[in-house]
Amino acid sequence: MSMNRLALAAMEIEDFGSLSARTVIAGVEAVCDPFGALYLPATRLLVVSDLHLEKGAAFARRGMLLPPYDTLATLKILEAVIARHDPAIVVSLGDNFHDRVGSLHLPETFRARIEQMARGREWIWINGNHDPDGTTGLPGQSADEVHYAGLAFRHEPSDKESAGEIAGHLHPSATVRRRDKSVRRPCFATDGRRLLMPAFGVTTGGLDLRHRAMAGLFERETLVAHLLGRDRVYSVRFANLLA
């Protein structure tokens, strides 16, 4: 059955484990969720990246109109993944909002939804290049990066440090052949040392794993793309991806 993430979030599915993919980053087990979140069972920590909330509003402030549904749709998917995993800690890896004033002007109805999701949990907003000043009037704390349980959480991948790094920013995607046509999908990308998160926001684009911005980040011999299919996560080795 084909469906997008928003449709998947609205469904009652008993066994999401069969739709997910498991991986290990620097010895830490993780679950690549079909909604685009990473869950670390040992620490009950949930990671999302590049929500780009209020992207439509940011464009409207510049006189460019986009469909205004992006924040609501992204929050609905986030609510669903939090309800399923019930994490103790949520880390959002930067570009949480599409510009510096997005959280300041966030409508109260969306603010209330975030407050409800954060209730009883530790919530960490990592600062990104779109929102380097942190959030305004939202639960949790802001930080440039966080080190926890042997892992490093930051927005942009480091050129030097890689072991145990979980980062966002580049919106990785990959292309495979399916039924005589090529299909490009967002993905988790990991070689076992570091992991790049797919963008969680519903109106975000992506960079192919073969893009020059990805050069040198991974050992390609062990690199695996965990693609967000329409109905599950598909794990494909780098050598089997289309150029």
Side-chain angles (χ1 to χ4, degrees):
M1 182 183 295
S2 295
M3 61 194 75
N4 59 31
R5 288 189 301 153
L6 192 57
L8 191 63
M11 296 186 67
E12 293 185 7
I13 299 176
E14 292 185 3
D15 183 18
F16 263 97
S18 65
L19 308 182
S20 305
R22 291 188 174 269
T23 188
V24 177
I25 309 104
V28 178
E29 293 187 1
V31 177
C32 299
D33 189 279
F35 289 172
L38 188 76
Y39 183 63
L40 311 180
T43 52
R44 294 182 57 212
L45 188 150
L46 184 78
V47 189
V48 292
S49 186
D50 295 273
L51 302 178
H52 285 270
L53 297 173
E54 293 296 272
K55 182 176 181 177
F59 273 74
R61 284 191 283 272
R62 298 177 178 88
M64 298 177 284
L65 297 182
L66 289 180
Y69 65 82
D70 60 297
T71 297
L72 178 59
T74 298
L75 291 180
K76 282 184 175 181
I77 299 168
L78 185 56
E79 286 169 343
V81 77
I82 286 178
R84 182 165 68 258
H85 293 290
D86 189 22
I89 307 169
V90 176
V91 178
S92 186
L93 289 182
D95 287 358
N96 309 296
F97 288 83
H98 194 68
D99 63 12
R100 290 175 181 262
V101 299
S103 62
L104 176 64
H105 296 291
L106 184 68
E108 191 58 38
T109 181
F110 297 149
R111 194 178 303 277
R113 294 182 89 128
I114 294 174
E115 289 173 350
Q116 178 62 34
M117 282 187 278
R119 189 161 294 134
R121 316 179 198 282
E122 183 178 357
W123 197 292
I124 302 171
W125 304 97
I126 300 296
N127 301 325
N129 57 295
H130 279 259
D131 54 354
D133 304 321
T135 60
T136 300
L138 289 173
Q141 58 182 307
S142 297
D144 289 332
E145 62 180 62
V146 170
H147 294 257
Y148 184 75
L151 299 173
F153 302 89
R154 55 175 64 98
H155 179 59
E156 297 189 33
S158 169
D159 292 335
K160 299 178 180 178
E161 183 179 351
S162 61
E165 178 183 81
I166 298 178
H169 181 58
L170 293 178
H171 303 195
S173 64
T175 304
V176 294
R177 183 167 297 281
R178 184 182 183 189
R179 297 175 183 171
D180 297 323
K181 66 178 181 179
S182 61
V183 178
R184 187 169 179 236
R185 303 294 296 173
C187 68
F188 302 86
T190 181
D191 59 1
R193 298 180 306 131
R194 68 151 46 105
L195 181 141
L196 284 189
M197 295 284 298
F200 197 87
V202 298
T203 55
T204 52
L207 284 179
D208 193 88
L209 284 181
R210 297 181 184 274
H211 191 277
R212 62 181 180 275
M214 305 283 184
L217 293 181
F218 298 105
E219 296 289 343
R220 290 190 169 183
E221 293 78 8
T222 55
L223 177 58
V224 176
H226 300 288
L227 290 84
L228 302 184
R230 292 186 179 276
D231 53 359
R232 53 167 288 194
V233 176
Y234 295 86
S235 302
V236 182
R237 296 184 66 84
F238 180 80
N240 296 328
L241 298 172
L242 293 182

